[in-house]
Amino acid sequence: DAGVIQSPRHEVTEMGQEVTLRCKPISGHDYLFWYRQTMMRGLELLIYFNNNVPIDDSGMPEDRFSAKMPNASFSTLKIQPSEPRDSAVYFCASSTKFSPRTGHSTDTQYFGPGTRLTVL
Amino acid sequence: RKEVEQDPGPFNVPEGATVAFNCTYSNSASQSFFWYRQDCRKEPKLLMSVYSSGNEDGRFTAQLNRASQYISLLIRDSKLSDSATYLCVVNMRDSNYQLIWGAGTKLIIKP
C-alpha cells in the first residue's frame, strides 16, 4: 500500500513568497494532521482534520498559515507570505480510529516523508 | 512545566546493553500513550502503543505508570540499528485527538 505522500520534498524560497505544501493521505484514513518540526521547538501539531473538516487549528502559528482539505485524498498547507522563521520540516500524517484490518481501535499515525522548507 | 517531558540525552550505550528512558506527562486525564522512533532526517514511525498492562515486542518493553504519570521504554540487547530519537506522545482525548509530543530522547548505540 502507498503511504502518505507529500510534495515537494524540498522547497527553497525567498521571504515574502507564497509556499504551498501538498499531502495525499493513506486511502481510507479519516484523520489528517499537519506538523512542523524544528530543532528548537521539536514536533508541533499545527492542525488536524477529520472527514475533511478542520477540528483543531490552535497550533497554526498565525494568519499567514492556512490549511485546506477539499476531499478525502488531498490537503494543502499554505504559507503567505513566507518568512525565514518558517524554515522547518513540515510533516503530514494520517490515521484512522478504527482499523478494518485488525478490527481494533487504533491511534497510530502514519507520517509522510516531510517537506524540508527553507525560506531565505 | 512542559506537558510532556523527556530527557533529551544523548544516551550513549554500548551495543548489547540494556537502556531505559522515561517520559513524564502532567495531565492525569491523558488517555493513550505511544512511543515513536525517528531516524535522522526521516519521519517518525510508531514503535509501540503503551497499554495500562504494559506491553512487550521483542527486545522492547513499554510500561505505563498512571500513579506517577510516566511511561517508560526499555530496550534489551541493544543493536546499532536502535540508534535514533525516541519520541513519546500523549493523547488527551479518547474520542478524538489532543496530541502532545515530547521533544524526544536521542539514543546512540556504540560498537
Side-chain angles (χ1 to χ4, degrees):
Chain A
D1 289 341
V4 175
I5 299 171
Q6 290 187 248
S7 64
R9 294 292 305 275
H10 301 273
E11 177 82 31
V12 180
T13 191
E14 292 187 344
M15 182 174 64
Q17 297 298 306
E18 177 179 294
V19 175
T20 300
L21 310 180
R22 297 173 176 79
C23 175
K24 176 178 169 55
I26 292 172
S27 177
H29 282 190
D30 50 355
Y31 285 86
L32 183 140
F33 306 79
W34 281 103
Y35 288 91
R36 177 173 70 177
Q37 188 174 39
T38 61
M39 288 292 291
M40 290 295 294
R41 301 175 67 92
L43 194 64
E44 302 173 279
L45 177 63
L46 301 177
I47 185 172
Y48 79 89
F49 296 82
N50 178 217
N51 292 322
N52 313 339
V53 176
I55 301 301
D56 184 353
D57 64 355
S58 59
M60 295 286 263
E62 49 198 274
D63 291 346
R64 297 185 297 106
F65 285 69
S66 62
K68 294 182 180 180
M69 192 165 185
N71 58 63
S73 60
F74 183 65
S75 177
T76 59
L77 178 68
K78 187 173 293 187
I79 309 172
Q80 166 64 18
S82 57
E83 297 182 4
R85 61 191 168 123
D86 301 332
S87 297
V89 180
Y90 290 81
F91 288 107
C92 175
S94 70
S95 74
T96 181
K97 276 286 184 178
F98 177 76
S99 171
R101 184 176 65 85
T102 65
H104 297 144
S105 63
T106 174
D107 280 329
T108 303
Q109 294 183 62
Y110 296 85
F111 284 75
T115 295
R116 187 170 296 275
L117 174 65
T118 302
V119 183
L120 302 174
Chain B
R1 182 186 174 189
K2 293 181 181 178
E3 292 185 87
V4 175
E5 289 197 80
Q6 295 183 253
D7 182 340
F11 284 50
N12 291 283
V13 175
E15 191 177 8
T18 295
V19 59
F21 27 84
N22 292 339
C23 168
T24 60
Y25 60 95
S26 59
N27 192 329
S28 60
S30 299
Q31 296 290 327
S32 51
F33 310 85
F34 308 88
W35 283 105
Y36 278 73
R37 170 194 169 129
Q38 186 173 25
D39 293 300
C40 187
R41 302 179 76 86
K42 297 286 189 180
E43 71 274 21
K45 292 183 179 179
L46 179 71
L47 179 65
M48 304 178 77
S49 300
V50 188
Y51 306 121
S52 296
S53 57
N55 54 313
E56 186 174 318
D57 183 4
R59 299 182 292 109
F60 297 83
T61 300
Q63 292 192 316
L64 167 63
N65 186 319
R66 281 197 181 272
S68 300
Q69 295 182 201
Y70 72 87
I71 61 173
S72 64
L73 180 66
L74 178 80
I75 306 174
R76 289 180 298 276
D77 187 24
S78 55
K79 311 290 185 191
L80 295 176
S81 57
D82 294 335
S83 297
T85 296
Y86 291 84
L87 300 159
C88 73
V89 57
V90 175
N91 188 13
M92 303 293 188
R93 296 182 183 168
D94 182 48
S95 60
N96 221 324
Y97 288 100
Q98 185 180 350
L99 297 164
I100 311 295
W101 289 74
T105 295
K106 187 169 185 177
L107 175 64
I108 300 172
I109 305 299
K110 300 197 167 186

